Amino acid sequence: DAEYYLEPLVAGGQVKGRFNALNLQRTEGTSFQRFSGDIGWDISRTAKSGEQFGAFADVRGDVYVVDEDVINGVGQNKSSVQTRVMPTLGVEYRWPWISTGEKSSQIIEPIVQAIYSPSNSNPRDIPNDDSLSVDFDTTHLFDRNRYPGLDRFEDGARVNYGLQYSLLGDNGGQANILLGQSYRLEESATFPAGSGLQDSDSDVVGRVQINPGPYLDVVGRFRADPKDGKLLRNEVSLTSSFNLFEDRGVGISANYVFLDADLDTVNNREGEEVTGSFSFNFAENWWMNGHARRDLR
């Protein structure tokens, strides 16, 4: 992997190049070599009104040399060269509204992002090894490509939108809420069922984060069906760290996870569980750790 940032700016925007080479060899099944390059241009501006405007243009090219081997004596050895070129254009708009009080500040920020790439840009003959699992949540809401790897690229026209609220206390405490969704002009045949992105209207995703002080952090994430509001995924995590004695650190965490049957995919299984862990620095250079996991079903 390699990344390169061009200096100086071009037309007021940052130019970045990203490159990747992979050689994957198997004794049985498909082996391939992948050469991938990506050139992108980004620009961002803030108006006097506080509105934030962004735009980007990106071109990615991939070359695959694919060797399909005989599997258990079935099939024929064959080699092929597959290519893909994917241009992408996008714009983004944010407008944070800020209210300052005596002891806290509040920010409400609507966010809209529109992205276009040509449809049907993932040839079937290109193998898929690193993009099999897609799990949509708020961390991927405004990603330009929501596949985790390079073997698949998100194509088509889509609009991502969300509303973010932040409460910032003067004592350092803060809270943040993000709610959003993605809309595609056409359904995607490449996103797997259960990913939350397989339909034109994506699942609704949300995140609630509360940090009342330096010793406690609570985060809740959820995914819901936009048709009936059915909760498909619900996660709540609590973490805390503090000094039990003058210089002896203690860390505690607890997590709750619920996954609906509709999310029963390769990497997710229907279920409900809680986990907890702790760590204690009981002596210099020595830590004690513990972990517990319970299936609530």
Side-chain angles (χ1 to χ4, degrees):
D1 287 291
E3 287 193 1
Y4 179 77
Y5 293 82
L6 183 65
E7 295 291 348
L9 300 180
V10 176
Q14 175 71 63
V15 175
K16 179 173 71 172
R18 290 167 291 191
F19 308 93
N20 171 273
L22 171 71
N23 181 17
L24 177 60
Q25 296 295 321
R26 290 189 171 98
T27 56
E28 286 190 349
T30 301
S31 301
F32 63 89
Q33 295 82 49
R34 180 184 67 205
F35 306 92
S36 180
D38 187 300
I39 303 294
W41 175 83
D42 283 79
I43 190 169
S44 179
R45 291 289 183 269
T46 301
K48 292 182 179 180
S49 61
E51 295 170 277
Q52 299 174 356
F53 302 90
F56 59 88
D58 192 275
V59 178
R60 179 174 139 195
D62 303 289
V63 177
Y64 285 76
V65 181
V66 184
D67 297 312
E68 296 185 22
D69 199 2
V70 171
I71 302 177
N72 296 326
V74 179
Q76 295 181 345
N77 294 333
K78 63 178 183 178
S79 298
S80 63
V81 176
Q82 304 294 332
T83 61
R84 172 177 57 192
V85 177
M86 174 72 77
T88 302
L89 298 173
V91 293
E92 183 173 297
Y93 172 80
R94 296 171 179 251
W95 193 8
W97 308 340
I98 303 174
S99 173
T100 302
E102 293 183 1
K103 296 183 179 181
S104 64
S105 299
Q106 300 181 72
I107 303 174
I108 298 177
E109 183 182 26
I111 308 168
V112 180
Q113 183 187 62
I115 303 176
Y116 172 75
S117 304
S119 300
N120 302 316
S121 297
N122 289 290
R124 292 186 177 183
D125 291 332
I126 288 181
N128 183 10
D129 269 76
D130 63 11
S131 299
L132 291 169
S133 175
V134 179
D135 199 1
F136 183 47
D137 61 21
T138 53
T139 59
H140 309 300
L141 178 58
F142 297 105
D143 284 357
R144 301 172 189 180
N145 177 26
R146 282 173 282 220
Y147 285 101
L150 295 176
D151 290 338
R152 290 295 178 268
F153 196 94
E154 185 172 0
D155 57 2
R158 59 265 191 199
V159 179
N160 309 314
Y161 44 89
L163 183 66
Q164 184 166 228
Y165 169 81
S166 299
L167 175 64
L168 309 175
D170 293 343
N171 62 352
Q174 58 183 355
N176 178 271
I177 300 173
L178 174 62
L179 187 68
Q181 189 181 26
S182 179
Y183 176 76
R184 303 178 61 87
L185 270 64
E186 56 185 343
E187 294 184 6
S188 174
T190 57
F191 281 118
S195 65
L197 293 164
Q198 67 276 6
D199 299 324
S200 296
D201 291 310
S202 78
D203 292 344
V204 176
V205 293
R207 182 198 69 226
V208 179
Q209 185 167 6
I210 302 173
N211 184 215
Y215 306 112
L216 180 65
D217 190 28
V218 181
V219 180
R221 290 187 175 90
F222 68 88
R223 219 169 88 192
D225 191 319
K227 301 179 181 65
D228 55 12
K230 178 183 177 183
L231 197 62
L232 301 174
R233 184 186 190 115
N234 187 23
E235 298 178 73
V236 180
S237 65
L238 180 152
T239 57
S240 178
S241 60
F242 52 91
N243 287 335
L244 187 61
F245 303 110
E246 186 172 324
D247 58 351
R248 295 290 175 254
V250 175
I252 300 173
S253 68
N255 301 274
Y256 165 81
V257 178
F258 163 78
L259 299 176
D260 187 78
D262 290 342
L263 298 185
D264 197 350
T265 59
V266 174
N267 284 358
N268 289 322
R269 289 290 180 265
E270 175 193 7
E272 189 175 13
E273 70 175 32
V274 291
T275 60
S277 64
F278 80 94
S279 60
F280 175 38
N281 177 209
F282 64 90
E284 186 176 2
N285 300 324
W286 288 91
W287 288 80
M288 179 185 297
N289 301 284
H291 182 83
R293 184 178 190 136
R294 177 69 178 175
D295 187 343
L296 298 180
R297 301 294 177 87

